[in-house]
Amino acid sequence: MALLGLLGSLFILDLAWGSVSIPFNEVLSWLTGQSTSEQGWDNILTYLRLPKACSAVLVGGALAVGGLMMQTLFRNPLAGPSVLGLTAGASLGVALVMLSSGAATSILAIQQLGIGGSSLMVLAASMGAGLVMGLILLMSFRIRDHVVLLILGIMLGFLTTAVVSIWQYFSSPEQIQDYLIWTFGSLGGQSPAQLQIMALVIGLALLLAFIQSKSLNLLLLGEAYARSMGLSVKPARAWIIALTSLLAGTVTGFCGPIGFIGIAVPHLARSLFQTADHRYLIPLNVLLGAVVMLACDLIASLPGSAVSLPINAVTALVGAPVVIWVILRRGNLGASF
């Protein structure tokens, strides 16, 4: 209940806090369906602040659960969508769309077929993330050492980033600028229709992830034990990879690459609530991820200023100290795996 209260407080604070400060009583009145005393505040809350706050909740929950599933699957405290190259793969998919104008399958041609630009971005990001995770899974069948597999995932992420960098080198300055701005990450700018799509996809993926709680609990104890308990490991792996790819791909497609949340929040949840049961960890990670993401958005907003910091930089500033604190406090992160 305390976590829900903190989430609600930060959500309201995120609506009130920004370049234009809106009194809390006005925000509460607006949330109950009443108009604020100034018409401009209604527009700010409806078209800017509410979509941004909702995006923060969705993004935080999605990345936290995705990181939790990766850490459990690989039984490695450093595993996560960004560390294993999943976010880099999603970025490669988006680069394919943003840096390939003039090709036979340009964005304009695809849009004329009835596929919106945002849907194309999500599809490309999901496919890129799925491709990288598929390669990591293939390597996992041959390599038993989780540390080696983690290193290979990092190398694969570097390789993907190098491909994007070379592609940028041969792109026009306008394309490079657009892509660079996208890599900063942003929680704002989503239309109501885009926000609905993001909420639907992430909500469905989180529900399916919760259904996989039993499989995740068994995998946490080792594949041999999971098989002895009747779990089909390969289908369980496929589900976890598909769901993580969908979560990270959707977030990357709509909001750009956002790091550290997927690594920091699962460790913070285990440390605060002292549980390894995924029936509790998944809902706790959803709530805690949303809380951390809202806090990062508040820091990025710089109240009283028209400047907004890149959300990807703020999450790193918040996430890295959290991981350091957990390591120093617990000493041995591998004990949870």
Side-chain angles (χ1 to χ4, degrees):
M1 292 301 295
L3 195 57
L4 285 173
L6 180 59
L7 176 60
S9 300
L10 287 175
F11 189 87
I12 295 174
L13 187 60
D14 199 32
L15 293 177
W17 206 346
S19 57
V20 177
S21 297
I22 302 176
F24 289 104
N25 60 327
E26 297 286 351
V27 173
L28 293 175
S29 299
W30 180 81
L31 288 173
T32 57
Q34 304 175 24
S35 297
T36 59
S37 58
E38 293 191 20
Q39 183 63 33
W41 289 348
D42 285 338
N43 293 331
I44 291 174
L45 290 170
T46 302
Y47 299 108
L48 296 178
R49 303 248 176 112
L50 183 61
K52 185 164 64 75
C54 291
S55 295
V57 172
L58 293 171
V59 168
L63 293 179
V65 172
L68 173 67
M69 291 193 293
M70 287 295 94
Q71 290 174 8
T72 300
L73 177 63
F74 291 101
R75 300 180 65 197
N76 193 306
L78 293 179
S82 58
V83 172
L84 291 180
L86 184 56
T87 302
S91 299
L92 177 62
V94 173
L96 177 65
V97 174
M98 298 186 71
L99 303 178
S100 63
S101 62
T105 55
S106 64
I107 301 175
L108 179 60
I110 294 174
Q111 287 178 340
Q112 288 175 347
L113 295 175
I115 303 176
S118 62
S119 300
L120 176 62
M121 297 279 275
V122 173
L123 178 62
S126 298
M127 291 181 65
L131 175 62
V132 171
M133 280 309 302
L135 292 174
I136 292 175
L137 180 59
L138 288 176
M139 290 186 292
S140 70
F141 291 143
R142 299 176 57 88
I143 299 171
R144 296 295 180 182
D145 191 332
H146 297 297
V147 175
V148 174
L149 187 61
L150 177 63
I151 294 173
L152 288 175
I154 294 174
M155 293 301 104
L156 191 59
F158 281 131
L159 179 62
T160 306
T161 303
V163 172
V164 175
S165 298
I166 294 174
W167 205 339
Q168 286 179 285
Y169 184 80
F170 292 101
S171 300
S172 66
E174 293 79 11
Q175 290 173 317
I176 295 174
Q177 182 180 11
D178 291 341
Y179 182 76
L180 183 62
I181 292 174
W182 176 82
T183 60
F184 290 157
S186 175
L187 296 174
Q190 285 81 29
S191 66
Q194 291 173 332
L195 190 60
Q196 289 177 5
I197 294 173
M198 184 167 64
L200 178 62
V201 174
I202 291 178
L204 178 61
L206 290 176
L207 177 61
L208 293 174
F210 181 75
I211 294 175
Q212 294 295 315
S213 296
K214 182 178 179 181
S215 299
L216 290 166
N217 285 338
L218 293 175
L219 288 172
L220 189 61
L221 299 174
E223 291 186 5
Y225 178 81
R227 289 192 182 95
S228 70
M229 296 299 293
L231 177 67
S232 298
V233 174
K234 289 184 178 180
R237 276 180 171 177
W239 270 108
I240 294 170
I241 289 171
L243 292 174
T244 304
S245 300
L246 189 60
L247 289 169
T250 302
V251 169
T252 305
F254 280 109
C255 303
I258 298 176
F260 275 100
I261 297 297
I263 296 178
V265 173
H267 291 307
L268 187 59
R270 292 190 193 96
S271 179
L272 291 177
F273 300 102
Q274 298 295 317
T275 180
D277 191 341
H278 288 78
R279 293 175 300 174
Y280 302 104
L281 273 179
I282 289 178
L284 288 172
N285 271 271
V286 171
L287 294 176
L288 194 57
V291 166
V292 173
M293 204 68 213
L294 283 171
C296 291
D297 189 39
L298 286 170
I299 296 173
S301 296
L302 288 177
S305 172
V307 177
S308 181
L309 296 176
I311 191 66
N312 199 15
V314 177
T315 55
L317 288 174
V318 173
V322 168
V323 174
I324 293 173
W325 173 74
V326 171
I327 291 174
L328 294 177
R329 185 172 182 268
R330 301 184 62 180
N332 181 17
L333 290 179
S336 299
F337 303 92

